[in-house]
Amino acid sequence: MKHVLFVLVALFCLLMAGCAPREVRYVVGVSQCSDDEWREQMNKEIRREALFYPGVKIDIRTAKDNNAQQIADIESLIGEGVDLLIVSPNEADAITPVIEKAYNKGIPVVLVDRKIRSDKYTAYVGADNYEIGRQVGSYIAERLQGKGNLVEVAGLKASTSALERHRGLMDALRETPDIKLIASADAAWLRVPAEKAFGDILSKFPDIDMVFAHNDRMAAGAYDAAVKQHREHDMLFVGIDALAGEGYGVEQVANRQLDATFIYPTGGDKVMEVAMNILQGQDYTRETVLSTALVNKANARIMQMQTAHIGQLDNKIEVLDKQLDTYLMRYSSQRMLLYACIVILVLVAMLLFFVVRAFWTKNRLNAELSDQKKRLEEQRDQLISLSKQLEEATHAKLAFFTNVSHDFRTPLTLIAAPVNQLAESNKLGENERFLLNIIQKNVTVLLRLINQILDFRKFENGKLSMTLSRFDISENIKDWTDAFRTLSYRKHIHFTVSVEPSEEGYVMIADAEKMERITYNLLSNAFKFTPENGTIEIKLSQFTKEGERWLRYQVSDTGIGMPAEHVKHIFESFYQIDVHHAGSGIGLALVKAFVEMHGGTIAVDSGEGRGTVFTLEMPVQQNGVPEENVEKNIVLTNLKEGAVLSADQETIQTAPEVVERDDKETVLIIDDNQDVRDYVKSLLHDKYTVIEASNGQKGLQQAMKYVPDAVICDVMMPVMDGMECCRRLKSEVQTSHIPVMMLTAYTMDEQKVKGYECGADSYILKPFSARLLQVRLRNLIDNRLRLQSFFADKTSLRKEPIADLDKGFVEKLRALIDEQLGNSELSVEDLGDKIGMSRVQLYRKSKALTGYSPNELLRIARLKKAASLLASTEKTIAEITYEVGFSSPSYFTKCYKDYFGESPTDFLKRKG
């Protein structure tokens, strides 16, 4: 027993070591003088660039234009021992001493945007404020053609940037003495003060030609003042910053509120790059001057488009960083699982040893006590009773694992097939990386199921206990639901968390990990059964019951709901509604167990077509737990299963639009499991154009739209299953010719018979061989190619096994072409309208059955008719050209020679 305890303690230590957070190598403190949108953009760029340097922590403070606050912020960062300071000084004279203090302590200081009254700093990154002021002055001189009245709305005059911009402006205007600076006002970089100051100037000066504001904020304020006095069209407004976004400089230029603005680059990424070069001892430039450019109505729209694209890329970088953290956690969890499995194997071996030894001991004792018959008979009866109990327990466990096995089947399929394919590879390339990724994701699914099994076993054995802590559930619910945000965006589900205001707050004493598991299970069910464009909502509220505060926790969705006869059994162990909602049957049973352990209740309200609402009620504080024994600090981890949303293993991917290509056939893959679609696509994408759908209904829409050459369809899917999808495909004239291959995890002959009755052309069982799928798909498409000879030889209709629906289509197309042969204006769209198909559908259907596009069929029919007329009549080439529908004799001659190998003139000479 002591040895077993020692092994468990060692395993616990290994698990804790594997879950250690990332090491922090550098702490970079950032002190911003203000919190305007320009600095928010810089902060965002700094954080984004920091993602490329593992082990870097960013601590950003904002002084909100207050010198005292900024000095306090910098003092605090110095006291915390930051490795480097990034500072944008509010006022040079006031901030210089504290920056010198940091520099003298050996802390590198990078100044941003503004400088100080000292050279005690490590590096400077920012635009040249004097140069940008000079460029604005040159632009004003050119725009006003050297003559006019100018008003300047300046920033905080004690800041170096405002002083330098003013000096640059005045130096540029010295060359145009007829431009008069009639007024200047200090608006402290803010919009409202700028509006007030310029309003006063407007009342004093009736003749103003242009207004120059030191930033776009103040330019917008000046414009607002002009609008109030109905003078916005009397003058032009120029600003600086050129930020993109709603209500910012670029949009103001695009909307003609500002005549122009000048890009004042934030340079957050460059700041971080210089900072890391300093920290890592690499070469860096002490004075980094960022360039600027003019933004006016000619390029404002382009700027908006480019910035939007950059924003999308920024978001993708953040998503990739989060995924990297998730993968590292998965790796750690899988390693710990391996260690646990090894320990379990050792324990099993020890147990087996003791069992064998006990068996031999029992035999020896039986031999020694053979004379005690009566006692042996009593022991025999006891053994029979124990054997029956053991048999009953074995049957119960067998039933349990039978229910769980269906959940394991698809992940095991996706593990076995890629592993077999990897075994055939000589080296690890991109394809092998892809297969390994599939394996890792599905191992995570198995791990989550195994953890639920272990918890359920503990619950059945009465060994499931609680670890209480004090935490704010309204705050932690945000962390617990973050993992579902990506899935909500992918499925276009409106997902919200609402907390009813409460004076007492939402701090509670409970088992935080079990509350997290409750959230995960309920949200997993909600997302699994809620269709696209649905709604899922979590609501937190409080009420009083018998003088105590209770928490009401509701999870509601607008999904498919449950019939009334199933609702009363939903919390029973191993209960399943039907095969379409298959699962282990223990998730909701565990939720109920966790709630009852907290002394609470759970209820469900559901109905078909009206969604489901789970309502949990429990005491805010568990009774019998002394305050001093409750943990004060809240350290909550992500979901123990790896924080992976495995709702059918969906990923962010939509079916690509089809690009019509002559060199590849098109294959449609219909499966509700994203990994299955990805894997089959990886097998086919080199030889086929692949499109995808996540259920039968979407697959039917894709097939009607693109008319693929073959369809690979799963049997069990939500919304519309594979059987119904196949039947619908075979009953539509646009898609009836398409071969359909069904994928299934079931081996029952009855299901295969039903599939063939629905029109399926082939069946493949999971797990399947990649080579078998490729060869069988190729054979299905090649068999269809035999039908292409029909159009050239009408008699083959009686020999080829063409479906009645396809015969009708070809005959109708032939009749339309013969009827409209002389119509030179006839187009593919006209043929499609008469048959009842779109241009793409007609193209795909015609190509699949005849091997020719509609245009090619029409041209061939016209050429054959022309050859007949040349051979049997005395008409001229020009007459025959127009009679068969060609618009030009020269084009007719070219097409005739390409098809028959000689020109019409050569034919007539040979004929005559």
Side-chain angles (χ1 to χ4, degrees):
M1 189 64 182
K2 292 182 179 178
H3 295 294
V4 174
L5 290 175
F6 175 77
V7 171
L8 292 176
V9 170
L11 178 60
F12 177 78
C13 294
L14 287 173
L15 289 171
M16 292 301 100
C19 298
R22 287 184 179 181
E23 178 186 359
V24 177
R25 297 176 56 197
Y26 300 112
V27 177
V28 177
V30 180
S31 173
Q32 292 284 13
C33 61
S34 182
D35 60 349
D36 56 66
E37 60 273 6
W38 187 87
R39 299 192 185 280
E40 289 177 0
Q41 177 65 24
M42 180 194 294
N43 293 342
K44 182 179 179 182
E45 293 171 356
I46 290 174
R47 290 192 181 97
R48 181 194 62 202
E49 187 69 17
L51 296 177
F52 295 97
Y53 301 96
V56 174
K57 177 183 177 182
I58 304 297
D59 186 354
I60 299 179
R61 311 284 179 90
T62 300
K64 297 184 178 180
D65 305 304
N66 187 301
N67 290 332
Q69 181 62 48
Q70 186 166 33
I71 292 171
D73 288 344
I74 296 174
E75 291 280 8
S76 175
L77 291 171
I78 294 172
E80 292 173 6
V82 296
D83 298 288
L84 182 141
L85 270 176
I86 298 173
V87 183
S88 177
N90 187 48
E91 293 184 358
D93 293 334
I95 306 302
T96 295
V98 71
I99 292 179
E100 288 181 335
K101 177 180 178 180
Y103 184 83
N104 292 333
K105 284 181 173 288
I107 300 175
V109 178
V110 178
L111 297 181
V112 180
D113 176 34
R114 305 174 182 179
K115 292 187 176 180
I116 59 175
R117 304 297 188 188
S118 170
D119 60 353
K120 288 188 176 182
Y121 60 88
T122 310
Y124 168 78
V125 179
D128 187 333
N129 283 290
Y130 171 81
E131 177 61 22
I132 200 171
R134 192 187 63 77
Q135 290 185 22
V136 172
S138 300
Y139 176 79
I140 291 172
E142 178 182 355
R143 195 75 173 87
L144 295 181
Q145 298 181 353
K147 184 176 181 180
N149 293 331
L150 173 67
V151 172
E152 179 185 26
V153 181
L156 195 64
K157 288 191 175 180
S159 64
T160 58
S161 54
L163 296 172
E164 291 173 358
R165 290 179 186 182
H166 175 75
R167 186 163 56 87
L169 172 72
M170 298 310 297
D171 288 350
L173 293 180
R174 285 194 183 95
E175 301 176 5
T176 54
D178 289 335
I179 295 179
K180 306 297 184 182
L181 180 62
I182 61 175
S184 179
D186 181 350
W189 307 106
L190 302 174
R191 180 169 184 163
V192 174
E195 179 181 354
K196 183 177 182 304
F198 188 66
D200 295 338
I201 293 174
L202 284 172
S203 62
K204 297 177 182 177
F205 298 95
D207 186 12
I208 300 174
D209 298 299
M210 182 168 284
V211 179
F212 164 49
H214 283 197
N215 65 10
D216 294 337
R217 251 182 168 185
M218 295 188 294
Y223 181 83
D224 293 341
V227 169
K228 289 181 178 179
Q229 298 191 24
H230 307 291
R231 293 179 60 183
E232 69 272 16
H233 300 299
D234 299 342
M235 61 200 73
L236 301 176
F237 296 84
V238 177
I240 294 176
D241 280 348
L243 288 179
E246 184 177 355
Y248 298 159
V250 174
E251 184 182 84
Q252 291 170 350
V253 173
N255 294 338
R256 306 297 176 88
Q257 296 175 359
L258 300 186
D259 183 65
T261 183
F262 283 76
I263 296 176
Y264 189 66
T266 51
D269 49 355
K270 189 64 179 178
V271 171
M272 197 63 204
E273 179 184 336
V274 171
M276 292 310 301
N277 286 340
I278 294 171
L279 289 174
Q280 295 174 353
Q282 300 177 5
D283 294 337
Y284 64 93
T285 303
R286 189 170 190 266
E287 301 287 335
T288 302
V289 179
L290 304 176
S291 58
T292 184
L294 170 68
V295 177
N296 56 19
K297 62 182 180 181
N299 60 2
R301 295 297 181 190
I302 297 175
M303 287 283 296
Q304 287 179 310
M305 294 171 60
Q306 291 176 340
T307 306
H309 180 65
I310 291 171
Q312 293 176 353
L313 296 178
D314 289 346
N315 293 335
K316 290 180 179 179
I317 290 173
E318 293 176 2
V319 170
L320 289 174
D321 181 68
K322 292 179 181 177
Q323 290 180 345
L324 177 60
D325 288 339
T326 301
Y327 294 151
L328 290 174
M329 183 62 73
R330 289 183 190 173
Y331 167 75
S332 176
S333 300
Q334 292 163 3
R335 185 178 61 182
M336 293 306 102
L337 176 61
L338 176 61
Y339 293 158
C341 290
I342 293 173
V343 171
I344 291 171
L345 287 175
V346 172
L347 294 176
V348 169
M350 294 172 60
L351 179 61
L352 182 62
F353 169 76
F354 287 115
V355 169
V356 171
R357 191 175 69 172
F359 174 76
W360 288 109
T361 302
K362 175 185 175 183
N363 286 344
R364 180 174 55 82
L365 292 175
N366 285 338
E368 293 175 354
L369 300 175
S370 58
D371 57 333
Q372 301 181 9
K373 183 178 180 180
K374 183 178 180 179
R375 184 175 179 182
L376 287 175
E377 288 177 349
E378 293 177 354
Q379 292 178 352
R380 183 194 60 188
D381 294 337
Q382 293 176 355
L383 289 173
I384 291 174
S385 176
L386 290 173
S387 178
K388 290 181 179 179
Q389 295 177 12
L390 180 60
E391 183 179 357
E392 292 175 357
T394 301
H395 283 304
K397 291 179 180 179
L398 180 61
F400 171 75
F401 285 106
T402 299
N403 282 289
V404 175
S405 64
H406 184 75
D407 284 327
F408 293 158
R409 192 170 186 88
T410 295
L412 287 175
T413 298
L414 295 172
I415 292 173
V419 167
N420 291 336
Q421 190 170 353
L422 269 178
E424 300 173 2
S425 178
N426 295 327
K427 58 182 181 179
L428 196 63
E430 292 184 0
N431 189 44
E432 288 74 13
R433 295 284 184 189
F434 171 75
L435 296 174
L436 282 176
N437 186 45
I438 292 179
I439 294 172
Q440 292 171 343
K441 289 168 66 177
N442 285 278
V443 167
T444 302
V445 177
L446 291 176
L447 177 62
R448 181 174 62 84
L449 293 173
I450 290 171
N451 285 340
Q452 289 220 129
I453 292 171
L454 294 175
D455 280 349
F456 189 75
R457 291 282 300 278
K458 291 179 182 178
F459 169 67
E460 283 191 318
N461 296 331
K463 296 181 179 180
L464 192 61
S465 60
M466 292 198 301
T467 303
L468 300 180
S469 64
R470 180 187 299 276
F471 62 97
D472 189 335
I473 190 171
S474 65
E475 294 296 327
N476 284 275
I477 199 73
K478 300 174 183 177
D479 295 333
W480 299 341
T481 57
D482 273 348
F484 291 86
R485 295 292 178 187
T486 300
L487 182 58
S488 69
Y489 298 149
R490 184 187 317 141
K491 295 187 69 175
H492 306 292
I493 290 176
H494 183 59
F495 177 39
T496 59
V497 177
S498 62
V499 179
E500 183 177 293
S502 173
E503 295 181 359
E504 295 85 359
Y506 283 84
V507 175
M508 63 185 303
I509 297 174
D511 189 324
E513 193 257 345
K514 287 181 174 55
M515 294 299 295
E516 182 182 16
R517 294 286 295 278
I518 289 171
T519 303
Y520 179 84
N521 276 298
L522 293 180
L523 285 181
S524 293
N525 279 336
F527 276 93
K528 186 174 183 179
F529 300 115
T530 300
E532 290 191 354
N533 300 313
T535 298
I536 297 175
E537 183 179 18
I538 293 180
K539 290 183 179 178
L540 292 181
S541 60
Q542 294 189 52
F543 66 99
T544 301
K545 182 177 180 179
E546 297 178 356
E548 294 183 357
R549 286 193 300 125
W550 279 56
L551 174 73
R552 180 176 288 117
Y553 184 165
Q554 287 185 319
V555 178
S556 61
D557 64 67
T558 59
I560 59 177
M562 294 177 287
E565 63 269 21
H566 295 300
V567 171
K568 59 184 179 181
H569 300 293
I570 198 65
F571 296 111
E572 294 177 7
S573 303
F574 312 130
Y575 184 81
Q576 296 171 323
I577 296 177
D578 54 38
V579 295
H580 296 285
H581 302 82
S584 63
I586 64 175
L588 291 177
L590 277 176
V591 168
K592 186 173 186 292
F594 291 162
V595 173
E596 290 176 350
M597 289 177 69
H598 285 82
T601 61
I602 182 170
V604 58
D605 179 20
S606 183
E608 287 186 282
R610 62 180 180 88
T612 302
V613 179
F614 287 91
T615 303
L616 287 69
E617 295 181 352
M618 63 179 64
V620 172
Q621 295 191 5
Q622 297 299 301
N623 294 328
V625 181
E627 283 288 318
E628 59 271 20
N629 292 335
V630 180
E631 294 180 15
K632 302 298 182 181
N633 296 324
I634 306 168
V635 183
L636 299 178
T637 62
N638 287 331
L639 296 175
K640 305 304 179 186
E641 294 79 13
V644 177
L645 286 179
S646 58
D648 295 331
Q649 286 299 301
E650 296 183 64
T651 57
I652 304 175
Q653 180 173 346
T654 57
E657 290 296 320
V658 171
V659 179
E660 293 184 6
R661 297 177 57 180
D662 294 332
D663 58 335
K664 284 187 178 183
E665 290 101 352
T666 300
V667 177
L668 170 61
I669 303 172
I670 309 174
D671 199 300
D672 61 331
N673 189 296
Q674 181 68 49
D675 287 338
V676 172
R677 299 202 303 271
D678 287 344
Y679 178 62
V680 176
K681 183 176 180 180
S682 74
L683 298 176
L684 304 180
H685 78 278
D686 288 336
K687 296 182 179 179
Y688 304 92
T689 298
V690 180
I691 55 180
E692 305 174 39
S694 59
N695 58 58
Q697 181 175 316
K698 292 183 179 179
L700 184 62
Q701 294 171 354
Q702 295 283 70
M704 295 287 287
K705 183 177 181 181
Y706 299 118
V707 193
D709 297 284
V711 173
I712 300 175
C713 182
D714 191 19
V715 173
M716 303 306 298
M717 293 182 294
V719 185
M720 180 188 291
D721 63 22
M723 299 296 185
E724 178 63 14
C725 179
C726 181
R727 187 189 66 76
R728 295 279 296 275
L729 286 171
K730 294 298 184 179
S731 65
E732 296 290 343
V733 66
Q734 295 95 325
T735 58
S736 58
H737 67 284
I738 302 173
V740 178
M741 179 189 297
M742 306 293 287
L743 297 180
T744 179
Y746 295 94
T747 59
M748 296 179 292
D749 289 338
E750 292 83 359
Q751 190 185 63
K752 293 183 181 179
V753 171
K754 183 178 179 182
Y756 286 127
E757 287 176 349
C758 292
D761 298 272
S762 180
Y763 253 99
I764 290 219
L765 296 177
K766 297 177 182 178
F768 54 82
S769 162
R771 181 60 181 160
L772 175 62
L773 184 142
Q774 293 169 327
V775 171
R776 190 168 293 182
L777 176 63
R778 185 68 261 167
N779 287 340
L780 287 177
I781 295 177
D782 289 342
N783 287 339
R784 284 290 169 177
L785 295 179
R786 294 180 303 159
L787 302 180
Q788 295 181 357
S789 61
F790 164 75
F791 198 89
D793 182 7
K794 188 174 182 179
T795 61
S796 65
L797 177 60
R798 295 186 296 274
K799 300 177 182 179
E800 294 290 350
I802 309 176
D804 292 338
L805 212 54
D806 294 338
K807 293 178 185 177
F809 167 80
V810 175
E811 289 175 349
K812 187 173 183 179
L813 180 60
R814 179 194 293 276
L816 282 173
I817 290 176
D818 290 341
E819 178 183 337
Q820 300 289 328
L821 199 63
N823 182 5
S824 62
E825 301 297 324
L826 182 65
S827 65
V828 177
E829 286 78 5
D830 296 332
L831 288 174
D833 290 341
K834 294 180 182 298
I835 291 181
M837 294 184 181
S838 69
R839 182 184 65 81
V840 173
Q841 291 172 335
L842 179 60
Y843 175 89
R844 302 288 294 172
K845 182 82 173 180
S846 174
K847 194 78 171 176
L849 288 178
T850 69
Y852 297 101
S853 68
N855 276 330
E856 291 172 330
L857 293 175
L858 181 59
R859 184 168 63 252
I860 292 171
R862 285 171 170 168
L863 290 172
K864 288 184 176 181
K865 179 67 173 178
S868 175
L869 292 174
L870 285 171
S872 61
T873 68
E874 298 299 321
K875 294 182 179 180
T876 65
I877 294 175
E879 290 173 336
I880 292 174
T881 295
Y882 298 113
E883 184 173 340
V884 298
F886 281 89
S887 59
S888 166
S890 61
Y891 180 65
F892 165 70
T893 300
K894 178 183 180 302
C895 294
Y896 189 97
K897 186 173 182 180
D898 290 341
Y899 189 80
F900 292 104
E902 64 177 356
S903 68
T905 304
D906 293 338
F907 173 81
L908 291 176
K909 288 180 180 179
R910 190 162 50 78
K911 172 187 172 185

